[in-house]
């Protein structure tokens, strides 16, 4: 789960996962039992995923080429006795430029500019934060965040209300 911290104007302009590509590009990844056979036939490279070897894929394709490549993989899988291939096409929304640098950052953090404002993205486990306190935009909850300069580093602070005890 990726969480964005930034100016409200930038967050209101944020294009999330189900949105249209912001740069006309998309990524195709594929994995599963038949991934090695698919890789031998269609190629692609391993994609980075949080300190482990990720699925095969092709990154930064024009959207129509990504959809065509995914269609070829799906047709190949459907034509044979192969049932072990999952194919994903992910349009480049704001999620992706936040996610990519975070995949190799020790704190799973990435930063981009949206609508003239810096946005910090964090890929933390849902159990660590917003799932407990419903801090998502969908819940109409936005918590104030401050960034404080401390020497050569920046400190991120925010306050989350205490968890309520079940009745």
């Amino acid at each position: 789960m990726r969480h964005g911290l930034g100016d409200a104007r930038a967050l209101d302009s944020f294009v999330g996962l189900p949105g249209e590509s912001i740069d006309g590009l998309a990524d195709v990844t594929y994995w599963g039992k038949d991934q090695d056979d698919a890789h031998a036939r269609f190629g692609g490279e391993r994609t980075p995923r949080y300190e482990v070897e990720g699925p095969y894929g092709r990154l930064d394709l024009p959207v129509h080429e990504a959809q065509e490549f995914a269609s070829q993989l799906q047709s190949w899988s459907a034509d044979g006795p192969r049932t072990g291939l999952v194919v994903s096409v992910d349009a480049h929304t704001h999620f992706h430029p936040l996610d990519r640098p975070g995949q190799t950052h020790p704190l799973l953090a990435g930063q981009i500019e949206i609508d003239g404002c810096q946005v910090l993205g964090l890929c933390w486990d849902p159990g660590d934060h917003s799932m407990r306190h419903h801090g998502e935009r969908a819940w109409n909850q936005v918590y104030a965040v401050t960034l404080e300069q401390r020497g050569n580093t920046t400190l991120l602070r925010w306050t989350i209300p205490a968890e309520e005890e079940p009745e």
Side-chain angles (χ1 to χ4, degrees):
M1 176 68 65
R2 172 72 57 188
H3 294 277
L5 305 167
D7 184 271
R9 181 179 69 204
L11 295 177
D12 285 340
S13 299
F14 188 88
V15 177
L17 286 177
E20 297 291 321
S21 176
I22 58 172
D23 61 3
L25 302 175
D27 299 336
V28 179
T29 52
Y30 59 94
W31 63 94
K33 181 179 73 170
D34 296 319
Q35 70 182 6
D36 292 331
D37 291 341
H39 179 254
R41 176 160 174 108
F42 296 98
E45 300 298 324
R46 288 287 191 175
T47 57
R49 288 288 185 260
Y50 315 114
E51 299 181 9
V52 298
E53 191 173 63
Y56 287 112
R58 293 185 186 167
L59 305 179
D60 307 323
L61 297 173
V63 171
H64 70 279
E65 286 182 31
Q67 291 167 338
E68 184 177 302
F69 179 55
S71 179
Q72 290 172 1
L73 286 162
Q74 291 163 336
S75 293
W76 171 82
S77 184
D79 287 344
R82 297 171 285 272
T83 58
L85 190 69
V86 178
V87 180
S88 177
V89 177
D90 298 306
H92 284 195
T93 63
H94 287 120
F95 173 87
H96 290 86
L98 277 175
D99 188 53
R100 276 200 187 159
Q103 291 172 355
T104 56
H105 189 277
L107 296 177
L108 304 178
Q111 180 179 321
I112 62 172
E113 185 174 304
I114 301 174
D115 203 15
C117 303
Q118 294 296 312
V119 173
L120 173 66
L122 302 169
C123 190
W124 292 344
D125 183 89
D128 292 339
H129 45 56
S130 67
M131 298 307 283
R132 177 178 65 78
H133 59 76
H134 304 293
E136 304 89 6
R137 295 288 271 200
W139 289 88
N140 292 320
Q141 297 291 324
V142 176
Y143 298 108
V145 173
T146 61
L147 296 174
E148 300 173 13
Q149 192 70 35
R150 295 283 172 103
N152 293 332
T153 63
T154 301
L155 183 64
L156 169 70
R157 294 185 185 271
W158 79 90
T159 303
I160 300 170
E163 186 172 13
E164 294 180 19
E165 294 294 324
E167 293 180 25

